[in-house]
């Protein structure tokens, strides 16, 4: 439908739109769903066999019917033009996700961060959806699971909107709830029962860098960078990095990243042991997926048992580190240093 058209839509168009809504592959999000529901109710409440006279109710009904039909039409066309929602042959797409795209193919479950327009920043919904996707991937038939990003970024880390628009009286609750959510989120990576591979397609920031220490293999494009600007943001390390980074790269190098915000190139991250291997960006996807498909054809149970054995040596320690890091962060989020950093990002967009 032409969205600029002022032509009135018929009851038949409206009913067709109701059917199309049910067929959308991508959840349009709560805001849009509420809008659709409100419009639907306006039509529903006023719909009755129409008398020829034009009443205010009839005209409101026409308006709501038109807006509902146009909104659905825009959702349908956005979806059909959106490469994010495409799947390749043999790939099955999992359930009802808004912020991640979860697919399985060739015994590999891929969890793709899917907010490319926000550089895949992780908002509250995304934290929850990633946990849900990890729970499903841990139980499904796949041999390995992969985390990657859609678009030019792997992820810009925590969505700073998670700290925005909070009333002063709600700050403590925000920090407490944030710490609970973060602990649960990182716990899902500690406990993940199968090999978990990070395919770092572009720059990685903050929590998406620290979590790499909890992945079993990290492949990076030579375009990727690794930046954990905790002190710049008035925060402190998470994702068990305060324990794992010194173990992986030695204390001196970990200090440069975790205390002094050093941004690593992919080559540096590989030399320092955070990344397993770096590939040229032009062949990154082809080379990495060919390698992963070969790995995923190995005996599934043997891989899972071995992964769990390796992790079991450290699991208790990692949970204790995670708890401590979240406790410290809960305090940090209430500090002037952190609040000022968030405000300055939104005011003049102080970028990293
Ligand atoms: C439950 C809570 C748990 C908390 C766990 C704690 C974790 C710690 C961290 O993860 S710390 C890291 C936090 N991340 C940042 O500070 C990154 C902030 N972003 C930037 O500095 C820049 O956006 C950039 C360098 C990543 C990219 O710059 P570029 O110029 O290439 O692109 P834009 O800035 O125009 O970005 C496009 C739009 O995306 C929005 N955006 C990007 N990153 C974030 C983010 N982390 N949080 C919120 N929004 C982000 C950006 O605002 C643009 O939006 P707009 O198009 O609406 O303007």
């Amino acid at each position: 439908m032409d969205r600029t058209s002022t032509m009135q839509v018929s009851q038949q168009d409206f009913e067709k739109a109701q059917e199309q809504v049910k067929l959308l592959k991508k959840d349009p999000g709560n805001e849009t769903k509420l809008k659709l529901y409100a419009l639907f109710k306006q039509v529903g409440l006023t719909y009755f066999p129409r008398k020829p006279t034009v009443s205010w109710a009839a005209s409101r009904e026409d308006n709501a019917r038109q807006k509902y039909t146009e909104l659905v039409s825009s959702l349908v066309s956005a979806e059909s033009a959106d490469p994010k929602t495409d799947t390749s042959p043999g790939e099955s797409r999992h359930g009802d996700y808004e912020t991640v795209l979860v697919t399985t193919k060739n015994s590999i479950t891929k969890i793709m961060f899917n907010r490319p327009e926000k550089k895949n920043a992780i908002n509250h919904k995304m934290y929850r959806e990633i946990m849900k996707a990890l729970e499903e991937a841990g139980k499904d038939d796949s041999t390995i699971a992969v985390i990657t990003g859609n678009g030019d970024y792997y992820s810009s880390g925590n969505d700073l909107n998670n700290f925005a628009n909070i009333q002063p009286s709600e700050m403590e609750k925000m920090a407490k709830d944030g710490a609970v959510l973060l602990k649960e989120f990182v716990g899902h990576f500690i406990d993940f029962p199968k090999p978990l591979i990070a395919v770092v397609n572009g720059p990685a920031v903050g929590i998406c860098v620290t979590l790499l220490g909890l992945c079993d293999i990290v492949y990076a494009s030579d375009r990727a960078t690794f930046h954990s600007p905790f002190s710049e943001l008035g925060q402190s390390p998470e994702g068990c990095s305060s324990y794992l980074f010194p173990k992986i790269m030695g204390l001196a190098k970990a200090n440069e990243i975790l205390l002094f915000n050093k941004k690593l190139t992919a080559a540096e991250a590989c030399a320092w042991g955070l990344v397993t291997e770096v590939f040229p960006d032009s062949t990154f996807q082809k080379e990495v997926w060919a390698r992963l498909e070969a790995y995923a054809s190995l005996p599934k149970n043997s891989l899972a048992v071995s992964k769990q054995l390796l992790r079991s040596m450290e699991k208790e320690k990692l949970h204790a580190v995670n708890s401590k890091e979240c406790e410290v962060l809960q305090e940090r989020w209430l500090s002037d240093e952190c609040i000022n950093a968030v405000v300055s990002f939104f005011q003049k967009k102080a970028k990293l």
Side-chain angles (χ1 to χ4, degrees), residues 138 190-195 216 300-315:
I190 299 173
D191 292 333
F192 192 70
K194 298 176 181 177
D216 301 296
K300 177 181 148 184
N301 296 333
S302 158
L303 278 175
V305 166
S306 301
K307 147 87 197 234
Q308 286 166 34
L309 180 66
L310 267 80
R311 181 52 52 93
S312 69
M313 311 296 166
E314 292 275 49
K315 211 176 202 178

Side-chain angles (χ1 to χ4, degrees), residues 39 104 135 224 238 242:
L39 292 167
T104 300
E135 281 164 24
E238 26 50 1
S242 59

Side-chain angles (χ1 to χ4, degrees), residues 204-215 218 226-230 237-264 269 272-275 314 318 321 325:
V205 183
I207 187 159
C208 289
V209 174
T210 56
L211 285 173
L212 297 175
L214 288 168
C215 294
V218 179
F226 300 81
H227 193 193
S228 307
F230 298 127
E238 26 50 1
C240 296
S241 59
S242 59
Y243 173 67
L244 285 176
F245 277 26
K247 214 169 139 88
I248 291 170
M249 58 193 72
L251 188 59
K253 295 214 181 300
N255 285 340
E256 279 216 287
I257 302 180
L258 297 177
L259 304 186
F260 297 109
N261 312 308
K262 182 176 168 68
K263 190 201 273 192
L264 303 186
W272 291 19
L274 185 61
V275 163
E314 292 275 49
L318 291 171
V321 171
E325 288 178 343

Side-chain angles (χ1 to χ4, degrees), residues 109-127:
T109 291
K110 177 168 77 175
I111 302 168
M112 183 185 256
F113 305 138
N114 199 22
R115 299 182 73 214
E117 68 290 349
K118 297 289 176 191
K119 309 292 179 192
N120 296 323
I122 308 185
N123 60 16
H124 282 151
K125 177 153 203 164
M126 193 158 158
Y127 282 110

